[in-house]
Amino acid sequence: MDISEVRVRKVNQAGKLKAYVTVTFDNQFVVHNIKVIEGREGDFIAMPSRQLANGEFKDVAHPISSEFRDHLQKVVMEAYASDSSEALESEEL
């Protein structure tokens, strides 16, 4: 499965949520609201989820294998870092 597009929407507010990301697969399937979260050991992604009646959160969509999760995390974090560096460059001009 190829990741054909990654779009990053930064969140301009205080807190651990840094961005929402939309990922398109094979130009055929899209997943919205993947989150970039600031963690104690570095930034990570959280898949879109919904809250159940008992208060727990359950992922709506997620990778099946740890290998693909690692690949998705790498691609999303690269896009986030690239978007961050482009934003910094724009602000410097």
Side-chain angles (χ1 to χ4, degrees), residues 24-41:
T24 304
F25 299 92
D26 291 332
N27 290 317
Q28 307 257 344
F29 187 80
V30 66
V31 177
H32 297 283
N33 295 329
I34 296 172
K35 296 175 278 301
V36 175
I37 307 287
E38 179 183 328
R40 288 185 207 156
E41 298 178 22

Side-chain angles (χ1 to χ4, degrees), residues 7-71:
R7 290 177 300 207
V8 177
R9 261 188 355 239
K10 290 184 186 174
V11 175
N12 294 324
Q13 63 186 26
K16 296 187 180 289
L17 177 63
K18 299 300 177 190
Y20 286 104
V21 179
T22 298
V23 178
T24 304
F25 299 92
D26 291 332
N27 290 317
Q28 307 257 344
F29 187 80
V30 66
V31 177
H32 297 283
N33 295 329
I34 296 172
K35 296 175 278 301
V36 175
I37 307 287
E38 179 183 328
R40 288 185 207 156
E41 298 178 22
D43 295 343
F44 63 94
I45 64 170
M47 298 305 292
S49 61
R50 65 182 179 94
Q51 190 171 16
L52 302 176
N54 65 4
E56 291 181 34
F57 285 88
K58 181 135 178 111
D59 286 351
V60 175
H62 58 87
I64 299 295
S65 70
S66 60
E67 293 85 12
F68 191 75
R69 176 177 279 281
D70 293 343
H71 175 65

